[in-house]
Amino acid sequence: MFAKGIAGTVEDFGRAGEKPTHPELLDYLAADFVKNGWSPKKLQREIVLSAVYRQSSEERADVVAVDPANKLLAVYPRKRLEAEELRDSLLYASGELDETIGGPAVFPKVPSSLVAGNVLNNGQGGALWEDAKDPNDHKRRSIYTFVRRSLPYPLTASFDPADPSKPHHKRDVSTTALQALTLFNSDVVFGWSQALAGRVISEAGANENAQLDTLYEILFSRKPTREEKSALKGFLKEQEKLVESKAWTDKFEVAVPTGLKDTKNLDPFKAAAFVDLVHAVANSNEFAYRF
């Protein structure tokens, strides 16, 4: 819940590992855990309702001067969503998540950038990855995604998932340009952005201000500030002009919101610009990180 535990070496407690940063707190939580019937839910509830968990992660100069590593948790440590959490959050926000429980593993769609994604051959005439025929399987939670050691699911592979061929005590957390490129250039993620744009229009109606408010409420649980809303509207105007200018070319394709019941009064240029806006906002740090 805080990216790093009270004792940082999760694979080695005791004298050989790191000393706990808050030994008294560790004793209290352990005793309280037993007192409450060994209930993980009660322990988690107490932690997430604590002041230290709910505080801001905004950097403070006084904290950096005294505790640069933030071991004492004077501010909340920023924590990126794990690979599976990020995919599931995007699916949930778009309204596409299939919450069916149980059943065999599934093969969701792989990005088209993966060479011959649907006919990857293992040299013996069989396919390494064949997209599930049931479209609902493409929207299942990541916990049900088939795990193949020789071919990790490409969409989450860049975000430090556990390597099934090695024992893991704690997942690595890296920050690379490939992560942003994976989300921004993935046709799978873009399809979810189209679905999210359709969801926003369905819930907010045709009013632009209401659409922007709804988008931010879905993704960030807040409304955009005045400065953010001004920047968003500016982007929409510029993007609409850009999309419209491409209409005069020989090859013109426009990505519009999906899942809408009524599209008669929908301006395709404005709708395509809104999809691009949704795609950009969904790829922001505020969505991928817990602040």
Side-chain angles (χ1 to χ4, degrees):
M1 294 180 178
F2 291 91
K4 185 177 180 180
I6 295 176
T9 48
V10 295
E11 77 286 359
D12 195 354
F13 291 124
R15 294 183 181 277
E18 289 184 16
K19 292 183 179 180
T21 53
H22 305 72
E24 295 86 357
L25 176 61
L26 184 59
D27 287 342
Y28 165 78
L29 291 174
D32 205 51
F33 179 59
V34 176
K35 181 181 176 181
N36 287 319
W38 304 79
S39 171
K41 286 188 176 181
K42 290 182 179 179
L43 176 63
Q44 291 167 353
R45 185 180 296 112
E46 182 166 8
I47 292 173
V48 299
L49 292 178
S50 67
V52 66
Y53 183 84
R54 292 183 291 170
Q55 65 188 343
S56 170
S57 62
E58 186 175 350
E59 187 176 284
R60 286 166 43 193
D62 57 333
V63 172
V64 173
V66 177
D67 182 22
N70 193 33
K71 291 183 178 180
L72 301 179
L73 300 176
V75 297
Y76 183 82
R78 296 183 183 184
K79 185 178 185 299
R80 195 189 67 217
L81 297 177
E82 292 189 351
E84 298 86 352
E85 293 172 339
L86 188 55
R87 176 181 177 273
D88 291 356
S89 296
L90 286 167
L91 269 170
Y92 182 80
S94 67
E96 296 278 282
L97 183 65
D98 184 338
E99 299 188 53
T100 302
I101 297 175
V106 297
F107 290 82
K109 281 186 177 181
V110 294
S112 60
S113 56
L114 185 66
V115 178
N118 290 337
V119 289
L120 283 171
N121 198 282
N122 61 11
Q124 300 177 350
L128 289 176
W129 194 286
E130 293 185 12
D131 290 349
K133 295 180 180 179
D134 185 349
N136 290 325
D137 284 348
H138 301 162
K139 306 170 185 178
R140 297 286 301 279
R141 289 173 57 203
S142 298
I143 193 174
Y144 297 113
T145 299
F146 187 84
V147 176
R148 188 183 293 281
R149 285 178 293 176
S150 58
L151 181 64
Y153 183 51
L155 189 60
T156 55
S158 302
F159 293 91
D160 310 302
D163 185 344
S165 65
K166 301 176 183 177
H168 275 260
H169 305 293
K170 188 177 188 298
R171 290 191 181 186
D172 297 326
V173 179
S174 62
T175 302
T176 67
L178 185 59
Q179 293 165 351
L181 293 172
T182 297
L183 291 179
F184 204 76
N185 294 322
S186 168
D187 54 343
V188 176
V189 176
F190 190 73
W192 296 339
S193 298
Q194 289 178 275
L196 175 54
R199 175 188 173 186
V200 170
I201 294 173
S202 296
E203 293 182 8
N207 184 276
E208 189 175 83
N209 286 314
Q211 290 177 358
L212 297 178
D213 286 344
T214 301
L215 175 63
Y216 264 59
E217 287 171 351
I218 292 173
L219 294 178
F220 309 136
S221 299
R222 67 176 181 88
K223 292 184 179 181
T225 64
R226 183 181 301 177
E227 293 77 13
E228 287 172 331
K229 189 170 285 188
S230 176
L232 294 171
K233 289 182 177 180
F235 176 89
L236 282 174
K237 288 182 180 180
E238 291 298 320
Q239 198 67 11
E240 186 178 346
K241 292 178 182 177
L242 181 62
V243 173
E244 192 170 356
S245 67
K246 291 182 179 180
W248 298 99
T249 61
D250 294 335
K251 296 180 180 180
F252 175 64
E253 294 181 359
V254 58
V256 295
T258 56
L260 292 171
K261 295 181 179 179
D262 183 14
T263 58
K264 293 180 180 179
N265 299 320
L266 198 66
D267 184 333
F269 301 131
K270 184 175 290 187
F274 187 64
V275 169
D276 291 336
L277 173 71
V278 169
H279 187 53
V281 174
N283 279 277
S284 65
N285 272 354
E286 187 170 350
F287 183 77
Y289 282 78
R290 296 195 307 190
F291 288 90

